[in-house]
Amino acid sequence: MVATGVRGRDFRPSDLASAMQRGRLWASYACTRLGGASGCPNVAELRRFAREVRPHRGPEIGTLEELESVLWLVDRAWAG
Protein backbone atom coordinates (compact mmCIF):
# COMPACT_ATOMS: atom_id res chain seq x y z
CA MET A 1 0.00 0.00 0.00
CA VAL A 2 2.97 2.32 0.34
CA ALA A 3 5.56 3.32 -2.21
CA THR A 4 8.86 3.63 -0.38
CA GLY A 5 12.40 3.64 -1.65
CA VAL A 6 11.27 4.20 -5.23
CA ARG A 7 13.63 6.36 -7.28
CA GLY A 8 14.35 7.20 -10.87
CA ARG A 9 14.27 4.25 -13.20
CA ASP A 10 12.69 1.97 -10.60
CA PHE A 11 9.53 4.08 -10.67
CA ARG A 12 6.37 2.37 -11.93
CA PRO A 13 2.89 3.85 -12.40
CA SER A 14 1.62 1.43 -9.76
CA ASP A 15 4.00 3.10 -7.25
CA LEU A 16 2.30 6.43 -7.86
CA ALA A 17 -1.15 4.85 -7.59
CA SER A 18 -0.18 3.23 -4.30
CA ALA A 19 1.15 6.50 -2.88
CA MET A 20 -2.02 8.30 -3.98
CA GLN A 21 -4.21 5.70 -2.28
CA ARG A 22 -2.21 6.04 0.94
CA GLY A 23 -2.43 9.84 0.76
CA ARG A 24 -6.18 9.74 0.20
CA LEU A 25 -6.61 7.48 3.22
CA TRP A 26 -4.53 9.79 5.43
CA ALA A 27 -6.51 12.81 4.19
CA SER A 28 -9.81 11.02 4.87
CA TYR A 29 -8.68 10.16 8.37
CA ALA A 30 -7.52 13.74 9.01
CA CYS A 31 -10.98 15.03 8.08
CA THR A 32 -12.41 13.11 11.04
CA ARG A 33 -10.21 14.95 13.58
CA LEU A 34 -9.91 18.51 14.84
CA GLY A 35 -6.59 20.32 14.61
CA GLY A 36 -3.61 20.12 12.32
CA ALA A 37 -1.82 17.14 13.83
CA SER A 38 -4.08 15.79 16.56
CA GLY A 39 -4.58 12.08 16.77
CA CYS A 40 -2.22 10.91 14.03
CA PRO A 41 -2.90 7.20 13.55
CA ASN A 42 -0.36 4.43 13.60
CA VAL A 43 -0.36 1.84 10.79
CA ALA A 44 -2.79 -0.50 12.60
CA GLU A 45 -5.25 2.35 13.28
CA LEU A 46 -5.06 3.51 9.67
CA ARG A 47 -5.78 0.00 8.39
CA ARG A 48 -8.72 -0.30 10.78
CA PHE A 49 -10.04 3.05 9.56
CA ALA A 50 -9.70 1.87 5.94
CA ARG A 51 -11.87 -1.17 6.71
CA GLU A 52 -14.52 0.98 8.40
CA VAL A 53 -15.00 3.60 5.68
CA ARG A 54 -17.00 2.74 2.62
CA PRO A 55 -14.97 1.77 -0.43
CA HIS A 56 -14.02 4.68 -2.64
CA ARG A 57 -13.37 4.95 -6.32
CA GLY A 58 -9.93 5.56 -7.68
CA PRO A 59 -8.79 8.94 -8.96
CA GLU A 60 -10.92 10.36 -11.73
CA ILE A 61 -9.19 11.31 -14.95
CA GLY A 62 -10.64 13.83 -17.35
CA THR A 63 -9.70 16.23 -20.08
CA LEU A 64 -8.54 19.76 -19.37
CA GLU A 65 -11.82 21.07 -20.74
CA GLU A 66 -13.82 18.85 -18.37
CA LEU A 67 -11.76 19.88 -15.35
CA GLU A 68 -11.19 23.55 -16.13
CA SER A 69 -13.84 24.85 -13.69
CA VAL A 70 -12.52 22.65 -10.88
CA LEU A 71 -8.96 23.79 -11.51
CA TRP A 72 -10.14 27.42 -11.51
CA LEU A 73 -11.75 26.92 -8.07
CA VAL A 74 -8.62 25.29 -6.67
CA ASP A 75 -6.50 28.12 -8.05
CA ARG A 76 -8.77 30.72 -6.41
CA ALA A 77 -8.70 28.88 -3.08
CA TRP A 78 -4.88 28.74 -3.02
CA ALA A 79 -4.53 32.35 -4.18
CA GLY A 80 -6.04 33.47 -0.88
Side-chain angles (χ1 to χ4, degrees):
M1 184 197 252
V2 64
T4 57
V6 177
R7 290 186 255 162
R9 294 177 208 178
D10 296 332
F11 176 80
R12 297 174 310 216
S14 61
D15 296 325
L16 176 60
S18 176
M20 289 174 66
Q21 288 174 337
R22 184 56 135 347
R24 289 173 61 199
L25 184 58
W26 273 93
S28 297
Y29 185 91
C31 289
T32 67
R33 303 291 187 261
L34 293 175
S38 76
C40 291
N42 60 34
V43 173
E45 292 169 328
L46 200 58
R47 286 186 180 140
R48 188 169 35 257
F49 176 75
R51 286 191 302 268
E52 293 171 2
V53 297
R54 69 183 179 111
H56 55 275
R57 298 181 311 201
E60 294 184 25
I61 300 172
T63 65
L64 181 58
E65 291 79 24
E66 293 170 333
L67 301 173
E68 194 167 10
S69 61
V70 173
L71 294 171
W72 182 85
L73 287 172
V74 170
D75 187 46
R76 295 294 126 220
W78 282 101

